[in-house]
Amino acid sequence: MSDLQKSRSILQAAKKVMVITGAGISTESGIPTFRGEGGYWRGHRAEDLASPEGFKKNPRLVWDWYGERRTLVSKAQPNVAHLALASWSKRRGGISLLTQNVDELHERAGQTDTVLLHGSLWKNRCRKCKFEHRACELAYPTLPRCKVCNEITGPGVIWFGEALDFSSFHALNLCSIEADVILTIGTSGLVSPTADFIKRAQTKYNTTLINVNPTESNIQATIELRYKATEIIPELTAD
Ligand code: NAD
């Protein structure tokens, strides 16, 4: 039996499946990951821009970067991996999808109840008073200010060094306890706390882990499917 066939039968037999997606699932929609070629912008590391310190130091630079990212994502389309997951979730039930992505491509593919662990590119959030609202501007000639406290407001994403919202943390905890199988797609396994919950599920609850990633990652899976997401997810999730 091939790893693909084994994975299909494990997923079919599972009562509850937790799907965790990372930046890799959206690369074939034209959105680069931070680790790799897309990791630099105008000579700055993505990790330095996507951080509270980076924003404090130069909000103009950070907003220009986010403006470009919003523009890129607004032109991108969900790919066959996003679409297959959305269709599979509707047909099968018992699937919780949690994503580290902020592009909302799962929602645009028709996925319902997605947990956006790292927030959304299409929101603004004030770091001072925590006021958050939907925002679709592609550029800010004048830096945006919080409607509540007048502080310069930032993108509604969870940056490196910031904690997840309580609701996301709770969903990660609950789903990772309840799942018989975790399917990880396009994540390095280096981003906390998601990576820690995956490890805990494996060591404490003996949860089966199927990992889709064309290259080696920090995830030690029960089954490694070394493919690009679009190459394998439609087949993996077919009836
Ligand atoms: P990450 O840790 O999730 O790593 C990306 C992984 O995807 C890598 O291991 C890579 O080998 C794998 N990958 C690349 N192409 C793939 C493909 N076609 N199919 C399957 N896997 C593939 O992500 P990161 O880039 O280090 O980003 C860290 C955080 O930054 C994310 O968790 C997210 O919050 C944010 N981010 C979001 C987006 C997005 O919304 N699309 C993009 C970049 C970064």
Side-chain angles (χ1 to χ4, degrees):
M1 213 193 234
S2 71
D3 280 347
L4 171 62
Q5 286 168 326
K6 265 190 235 159
S7 305
R8 279 172 53 86
S9 20
I10 290 170
L11 289 169
Q12 275 161 4
K15 278 201 189 105
K16 294 219 171 187
V17 180
M18 179 189 198
V19 181
I20 300 176
T21 66
I25 195 171
S26 293
T27 54
E28 290 159 278
S29 290
I31 305 164
T33 63
F34 284 176
R35 285 162 232 272
E37 281 171 28
Y40 279 84
W41 183 74
R42 294 188 195 165
H44 300 273
R45 277 183 352 136
E47 281 100 325
D48 295 335
L49 297 168
S51 71
E53 296 75 28
F55 189 65
K56 215 172 177 178
K57 202 164 133 194
N58 196 342
R60 175 79 271 159
L61 181 75
V62 174
W63 262 124
D64 286 351
W65 183 55
Y66 275 96
E68 278 195 17
R69 294 190 67 209
R70 279 186 179 175
T71 305
L72 181 73
V73 169
S74 70
K75 290 178 189 153
Q77 294 301 325
N79 62 48
V80 292
H82 296 108
L83 293 165
L85 286 171
S87 158
W88 184 50
S89 304
K90 277 194 197 113
R91 294 192 320 269
R92 186 195 187 281
I95 295 169
S96 308
L97 192 145
L98 295 83
T99 186
Q100 298 181 115
N101 296 344
V102 296
D103 54 32
E104 295 194 6
L105 288 186
H106 285 297
E107 285 79 355
R108 282 171 54 197
Q111 186 83 40
T112 47
D113 301 326
T114 310
V115 179
L116 290 160
L117 296 166
H118 294 174
S120 170
L121 209 50
W122 303 108
K123 281 184 177 174
N124 285 359
R125 178 191 295 148
C126 174
R127 262 66 191 177
K128 190 177 169 199
C129 77
K130 312 293 175 216
F131 177 69
E132 196 176 273
H133 64 95
R134 197 103 194 128
C136 298
E137 286 84 352
L138 300 182
Y140 285 112
T142 310
L143 288 173
R145 292 207 168 256
C146 175
K147 290 169 192 161
V148 175
C149 72
N150 204 39
E151 182 69 28
I152 296 171
T153 197
V157 302
I158 304 293
W159 280 327
F160 292 102
E162 288 187 317
L164 296 195
D165 291 345
F166 178 75
S167 58
S168 296
F169 202 82
H170 180 65
L172 253 182
N173 187 33
L174 197 67
C175 295
S176 62
I177 291 171
E178 286 182 349
D180 314 298
V181 182
I182 298 180
L183 170 63
T184 48
I185 308 166
T187 176
S188 60
L190 291 168
V191 183
S192 285
T194 306
D196 310 316
F197 278 99
I198 297 170
K199 284 229 168 75
R200 185 192 67 169
Q202 288 182 286
T203 51
K204 195 163 173 193
Y205 308 115
N206 214 13
T207 309
T208 304
L209 181 55
I210 300 169
N211 183 38
V212 175
N213 196 320
T215 55
E216 207 174 317
S217 68
N218 205 36
I219 292 177
Q220 312 293 321
T222 320
I223 303 180
E224 287 287 349
L225 296 171
R226 289 250 190 272
Y227 298 90
K228 290 180 178 174
T230 56
E231 290 169 345
I232 192 100
I233 300 301
E235 235 182 301
L236 188 63
T237 58
D239 293 332

